Amino acid sequence: MTKMMPSLVMIAVTAALMGCNQSEAQDPKVTINKNPYPSTYQALPSKKTIIKNATVLTGTGEKIENADLIIIDGKISAVGQNLVADDATVVDAKGKWVTPGIIDVHSHLGVYPSPNAESHNDGNEMTNPVTAEVWAEHSVWPQDPGFNRAREGGVTTMQILPGSANLIGGRGVTLKNVPSESMQGMKFPDAPYGLKMACGENPKSLYGSRNEPPMTRMGNMAGYRQAFIEATEYKRAWDKYEADYAAGKNAVAPKRDLTLDTLQGVLEGEILIHNHCYKAEEMVMMIDLGKEFNYHSGTFHHAIEAYKIADTLAENGNCAAMWPDWWGFKLEAYDMVLENVAIVDAVKNSCAVVHSDSPVTIQRLNQESAKIMHNANANGFNYTEEQVISWITTNAAKSLGIADKTGSLEVGKNADVVIWNVNPFSVYAKAEQVFIDGAKVFDDKDARYQAQSDFLLGQE
């Protein structure tokens, strides 16, 4: 009996050690579907097409006279002079102008649609200063007649944003401006989400009038900071869960939170900031807020005082999306100059954008840009059409994170193209034909390409 004891002890010790080294069986890994409402967009049928003899503005600062453009399989195949494309449909654009499709980075079509009725006012979730959990796409009414009117004005892509009542108002969505029965059928594939934020008067006035925070601009800043403190802790918890699970531990996933899912996406660089912000000092604070929490402060919308900090915006890589001449409708919109866009654009590495924020203005963003060019050139600037077109094409695409796909007439990019009857910056300019991914979606002389909303059928 005594001779067996050491063996029994050894077995017991060995078994104990084996038990310590064995990992607990892991539960199935918890993952979050970051795209639960995926795009179902399918490009309409397109033909091999050559547009000939046009004045072409490429969106890259180039103007080519008597130029041709070839579209194959929905992509730009070639741009230049004296091009040949066998078996292609020929569009003679002699005397006409060709540009990239217009991109509006700030629209509320579909969430504040026409007709404007209380039951359709779905753009502002005015129930909490931070509503990062809401997504504009869940309010989009694709039958809004405004989409058709915008297409007739040459708009091929747009970002639909929530309103600006809240500090953090929710996600925006980028859409291709095609007729569709669903939001998903318009959704731009693989475009990053945007997050709408708002500075200044809107949030502090709304919640202050309810005797709730924020009531002041310092309350605004505290609200942003608290939200991102919570998002930082949420991200840390998920990062730990991922690391522990990868190490073989049976880790417990953090409790899911829709608000913090979105803010975590910002911290991870997957969701781009779009910030309604008028005043120079507030834009600078929002840049610092991004640095405090290690995310990029993105695009400033409206940006009435952007001209005061043009150097800072360019240095930090911020786009500024502006109007040509809206100002004075509230105090924070008072310190405006008509050269605002031009002053921002004049700085090296800048990103000046012209936006609409209006169902009417979106129909003529080309002429809104022309007003800026006229005012700027009357006051010492020397802007040309080939430069100005970038404000509603290339720079807008950069703001939305889709410049690798659209925004300029470069080989390999989506064939989002507009043929104008005259110089697009003329008061007489009209979009005659519009193509999205090489498919004709509007023709002012062919009713087959003049989509009408179901809502308008039977109405005079």
Side-chain angles (χ1 to χ4, degrees):
M1 186 70 179
T2 55
K3 291 181 180 180
M4 294 179 63
M5 285 297 294
S7 297
L8 291 172
V9 171
M10 184 65 69
I11 291 169
V13 171
T14 301
L17 289 173
M18 289 178 64
C20 290
N21 289 331
Q22 286 180 336
S23 296
E24 182 183 354
Q26 290 180 299
D27 294 329
K29 187 178 180 182
V30 176
T31 58
I32 295 175
N33 181 0
K34 295 183 178 181
N35 189 24
Y37 306 93
S39 170
T40 59
Y41 168 77
Q42 294 290 325
L44 295 169
S46 64
K47 302 175 182 177
K48 183 178 181 181
T49 302
I50 182 167
I51 301 170
K52 295 191 66 67
N53 307 315
T55 299
V56 174
L57 304 178
T58 63
T60 62
E62 189 176 13
K63 177 181 179 181
I64 311 174
E65 303 282 0
N66 299 314
D68 308 327
L69 182 146
I70 299 174
I71 299 170
I72 299 177
D73 295 330
K75 304 289 185 183
I76 304 295
S77 177
V79 183
Q81 295 175 321
N82 303 314
L83 300 181
V84 176
D86 295 335
D87 302 319
T89 297
V90 178
V91 179
D92 186 3
K94 185 175 180 59
K96 305 181 191 301
W97 291 55
V98 171
T99 70
I102 292 176
I103 300 171
D104 189 1
V105 304
H106 190 123
S107 176
H108 299 295
L109 291 180
V111 298
Y112 283 115
S114 46
N116 184 8
E118 184 177 354
S119 60
H120 271 177
N121 285 344
D122 291 318
N124 255 328
E125 183 64 31
M126 296 183 287
T127 54
N128 192 289
V130 176
T131 56
E133 71 274 14
V134 303
W135 300 15
E137 64 192 60
H138 296 151
S139 286
V140 169
W141 181 45
Q143 291 298 317
D144 181 359
F147 289 122
N148 298 326
R149 302 293 83 79
R151 191 181 313 115
E152 293 163 10
V155 175
T156 56
T157 304
M158 64 189 74
Q159 178 178 223
I160 309 302
L161 288 167
S164 53
N166 298 337
L167 298 174
I168 302 176
R171 296 195 196 194
V173 62
T174 298
L175 303 179
K176 288 177 175 281
N177 193 15
V178 294
S180 177
E181 297 172 348
S182 69
M183 173 279 298
Q184 291 93 326
M186 303 174 73
K187 196 171 183 179
F188 197 118
D190 301 321
Y193 276 112
L195 179 65
K196 178 68 175 293
M197 297 178 64
C199 300
E201 291 184 26
N202 284 18
K204 82 183 187 74
S205 297
L206 172 64
Y207 290 97
S209 68
R210 298 177 182 177
N211 202 30
E212 301 174 26
M215 185 177 289
T216 62
R217 283 182 165 84
M218 59 184 175
N220 285 357
M221 285 299 294
Y224 308 131
R225 297 182 73 201
Q226 186 60 45
F228 279 107
I229 287 170
E230 294 172 11
T232 299
E233 294 300 320
Y234 187 70
K235 180 179 183 303
R236 184 178 292 117
W238 276 102
D239 288 347
K240 185 178 187 304
Y241 170 75
E242 293 282 347
D244 286 349
Y245 200 95
K249 299 179 182 179
N250 189 27
V252 177
K255 183 179 179 181
R256 181 86 182 272
D257 186 298
L258 287 177
T259 300
L260 298 177
D261 280 352
T262 291
L263 297 182
Q264 180 180 357
V266 172
L267 297 177
E268 292 176 343
E270 297 175 350
I271 297 176
L272 307 179
I273 296 293
H274 291 274
N275 200 333
H276 162 118
C277 209
Y278 290 84
K279 292 171 67 62
E281 72 277 7
E282 288 188 284
M283 287 184 268
V284 173
M285 281 192 289
M286 299 308 290
I287 289 172
D288 282 347
L289 178 72
K291 291 176 180 177
E292 180 182 5
F293 292 99
N294 198 31
Y295 69 85
H296 191 264
S297 43
T299 299
F300 291 108
H301 289 240
H302 312 332
I304 290 289
E305 297 182 12
Y307 67 95
K308 298 182 180 183
I309 54 167
D311 291 345
T312 300
L313 295 173
E315 181 181 351
N316 196 59
N318 294 104
C319 294
M322 298 161 279
W323 295 298
D325 51 10
W326 289 22
W327 69 280
F329 45 89
K330 54 182 174 177
L331 191 58
E332 66 183 0
Y334 224 80
D335 204 358
M336 169 68 167
V337 297
L338 296 180
E339 300 81 20
N340 190 23
V341 175
I343 293 171
V344 171
D345 184 75
V347 179
K348 184 179 179 181
N349 298 322
S350 64
C351 179
V353 179
V354 177
H355 70 353
S356 77
D357 191 25
S358 161
V360 176
T361 303
I362 196 173
Q363 300 173 35
R364 48 186 65 86
L365 280 170
N366 54 313
Q367 286 149 344
E368 295 294 298
S369 300
K371 290 193 288 185
I372 301 165
M373 180 169 62
H374 170 79
N375 285 321
N377 288 350
N379 287 279
F381 290 87
N382 188 29
Y383 277 102
T384 60
E385 293 93 346
E386 55 265 39
Q387 295 170 307
V388 169
I389 194 65
S390 67
W391 298 342
I392 50 176
T393 57
T394 319
N395 291 354
K398 178 182 176 182
S399 167
L400 298 182
I402 54 174
D404 60 326
K405 301 177 181 68
T406 189
S408 59
L409 301 180
E410 296 179 90
V411 173
K413 289 194 177 181
N414 298 346
D416 298 339
V417 181
V418 183
I419 302 175
W420 304 88
N421 63 329
V422 294
N423 183 328
F425 301 109
S426 164
V427 294
Y428 300 106
K430 292 178 61 177
E432 288 192 342
Q433 296 184 50
V434 180
F435 299 81
I436 296 178
D437 288 321
K440 188 189 293 188
V441 294
F442 175 71
D443 188 322
D444 74 338
K445 295 180 177 62
D446 190 337
R448 294 176 299 170
Y449 300 99
Q450 298 171 9
Q452 293 297 323
S453 166
D454 288 350
F455 180 79
L456 295 181
L457 293 179
Q459 298 187 37
E460 296 182 1

